[in-house]
């Protein structure tokens, strides 16, 4: 098989995922009634919001030269829509997210993408701009942006765990990170610290399979990572349960501490629970994080 044909088949496979994901996300978003979140407030648009010191990564065209001429420091003139209506999204594409303990529950990745796309739809309907963290897809409005997000989230990473993307954070915007957060937490700490330094507030949504919460294994069991990089066989899986649950609790406590220090919020969702309830929580958490 030629490389070109392989690429074409892969593209067709990825494209075939879009209609079901979009349809499901649209349906899920429709179950949440829009309240005050995203409503335009008096003065919203091009009205002046504030001056702030220019930071690394700011475009030169944003610098207000009249204000900057008063001293040695450069200042950016921000307008309300630039900081109040930008939400950056990151969804973990790592192999660990492709885990499902049973056919009756969706993969963590499937649920994470669904929730992220559904919240993006709600935000766009509320007049907000949405995009990806990093430089690939800056926040924009409109249905075309929703399609771009859906396309981006058809791509899988090879590594077991993918670190959060934290480049090009828009100052004073909001952000949503969706992952199982079972990888290196130092990467999460770096991302949240950088975000907090730029005034970015947001939400971490931890998505776990029910078996990862309960550890229901007994007897001879083979544990293998989805990416195939880790494999462990034991004859007494039940004896590992206590230590596993302790380490999971420590991880959750660390995530909660990071959120507390940086002003973010932490949510937990199990894939066997209602996607609607998770979306509603996420929607309200973002609303509560408005500056």
């Amino acid at each position: 098989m030629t490389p070109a044909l392989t690429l074409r088949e892969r593209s067709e496979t990825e494209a075939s995922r879009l209609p079901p994901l979009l349809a499901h996300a649209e349906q899920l978003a429709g179950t949440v009634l829009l309240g005050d979140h995203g409503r335009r407030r008096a003065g919203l648009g091009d009205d002046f919001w504030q001056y702030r010191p220019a930071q690394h990564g700011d475009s030169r065209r944003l610098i207000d030269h009249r204000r900057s001429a008063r001293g040695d420091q450069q200042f950016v003139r921000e307008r309300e829509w630039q900081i109040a209506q930008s939400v950056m999204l990151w969804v973990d594409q790592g192999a660990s997210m492709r885990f499902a303990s049973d056919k009756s529950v969706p993969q963590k990745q499937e649920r994470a993408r669904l929730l992220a796309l559904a919240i993006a739809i709600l935000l766009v309907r509320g007049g907000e701009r949405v995009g990806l963290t990093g430089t690939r897809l800056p926040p924009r409005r409109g249905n075309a942006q929703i399609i771009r997000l859906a396309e981006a989230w058809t791509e899988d990473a090879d590594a077991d765990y993918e670190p959060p993307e934290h480049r090009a954070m828009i100052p004073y915007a909001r952000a949503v990170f969706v992952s199982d957060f079972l990888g290196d937490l130092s990467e999460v700490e770096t991302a949240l610290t950088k975000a907090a330094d730029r005034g970015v507030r947001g939400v971490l949504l931890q998505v776990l399979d029910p078996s990862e919460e309960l550890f229901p294994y007994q007897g001879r069991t083979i544990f293998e990572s989805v990416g195939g990089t880790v494999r462990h066989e034991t004859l007494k899986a039940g004896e590992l349960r206590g230590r596993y649950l302790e380490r999971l609790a420590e991880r959750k406590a660390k995530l909660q501490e990071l959120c507390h220090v940086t002003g973010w919020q932490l949510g937990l969702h199990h894939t066997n629970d209602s996607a609607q309830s998770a979306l509603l929580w996420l929607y309200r958490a973002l609303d509560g994080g408005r500056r």
Side-chain angles (χ1 to χ4, degrees):
M1 182 178 295
T2 64
L5 184 57
T6 302
L7 178 60
R8 177 181 176 181
E9 288 185 344
R10 181 180 176 186
S11 299
E12 290 175 349
T13 299
E14 291 178 349
S16 68
R17 303 180 194 175
L18 279 179
L21 175 60
L22 283 170
H24 198 179
E26 286 276 4
Q27 182 182 22
L28 179 59
T31 66
V32 176
L33 296 176
L34 288 174
D36 292 332
H37 182 75
R39 283 187 180 172
R40 294 178 177 271
R41 295 172 289 170
L44 191 62
D46 290 334
D47 285 4
F48 171 72
W49 179 270
Q50 66 177 3
Y51 289 114
R52 65 165 175 80
Q55 300 178 10
H56 178 70
D58 289 332
S59 171
R60 293 185 61 84
R61 64 183 176 82
L62 297 178
I63 296 175
D64 188 285
H65 298 286
R66 180 175 298 180
R67 173 65 180 84
S68 301
R70 300 178 190 174
D72 297 329
Q73 189 171 13
Q74 291 184 320
F75 286 86
V76 168
R77 179 186 178 93
E78 288 189 322
R79 294 174 173 82
E80 185 175 5
W81 67 268
Q82 290 176 310
I83 62 177
Q85 292 193 287
S86 292
V87 181
M88 296 166 290
L89 307 168
W90 174 75
V91 176
D92 190 344
Q93 307 284 65
S96 73
M97 294 294 289
R98 298 194 288 274
F99 173 70
S101 60
D102 190 88
K103 293 182 180 179
S104 63
V105 296
Q107 292 182 0
K108 292 182 290 184
Q109 184 183 76
E110 179 184 338
R111 181 57 58 85
R113 289 171 173 174
L114 173 64
L115 291 172
L117 194 59
I119 195 64
I121 291 171
L122 287 177
L123 292 169
V124 165
R125 288 177 181 173
E128 314 229 6
R129 303 185 303 167
V130 297
L132 298 176
T133 54
T135 59
R136 175 180 176 182
L137 191 60
R140 295 188 181 93
R141 294 186 176 94
N143 291 331
Q145 184 75 342
I146 297 300
I147 295 176
R148 295 186 192 104
L149 288 171
E151 289 174 342
W153 289 329
T154 62
E155 302 171 2
D156 296 333
D158 294 329
D160 280 327
Y161 304 106
E162 184 182 50
E165 172 64 82
H166 49 72
R167 292 175 298 166
M169 285 283 187
I170 300 174
Y172 304 107
R174 287 168 293 157
V176 177
F177 289 0
V178 187
S179 171
D180 56 15
F181 297 108
L182 296 180
D184 185 0
L185 285 187
S186 66
E187 298 282 0
V188 181
E189 183 175 7
T190 298
L192 265 62
T193 300
K194 285 189 174 182
D197 287 344
R198 305 209 75 182
V200 176
R201 296 293 181 267
V203 179
L204 295 185
L205 181 61
Q206 185 177 31
V207 178
L208 295 177
D209 184 274
S211 69
E212 292 174 323
E213 193 75 78
L214 301 174
F215 200 84
Y217 308 105
Q218 297 289 336
R220 181 178 181 274
T221 307
I222 299 176
F223 298 98
E224 186 173 10
S225 65
V226 177
T229 59
V230 178
R231 189 177 188 275
H232 175 73
E233 181 176 355
T234 178
L235 297 177
K236 300 178 179 180
E239 294 183 359
L240 300 177
R241 187 172 187 271
R243 280 179 289 169
Y244 169 83
L245 294 179
E246 182 179 349
R247 293 185 65 179
L248 180 62
E250 291 173 354
R251 179 169 290 265
K252 289 181 180 180
K254 178 62 175 178
L255 286 171
Q256 186 64 65
E257 179 186 358
L258 286 174
C259 287
H260 176 73
V261 170
T262 56
W264 282 48
Q265 295 188 66
L266 175 64
L268 174 63
H269 174 66
H270 300 130
T271 53
N272 62 333
D273 289 338
S274 165
Q276 182 181 359
S277 62
L279 178 61
L280 185 58
W281 179 88
L282 188 58
Y283 175 78
R284 289 173 174 169
L286 271 177
D287 197 31
R290 294 178 69 89
R291 295 180 61 86

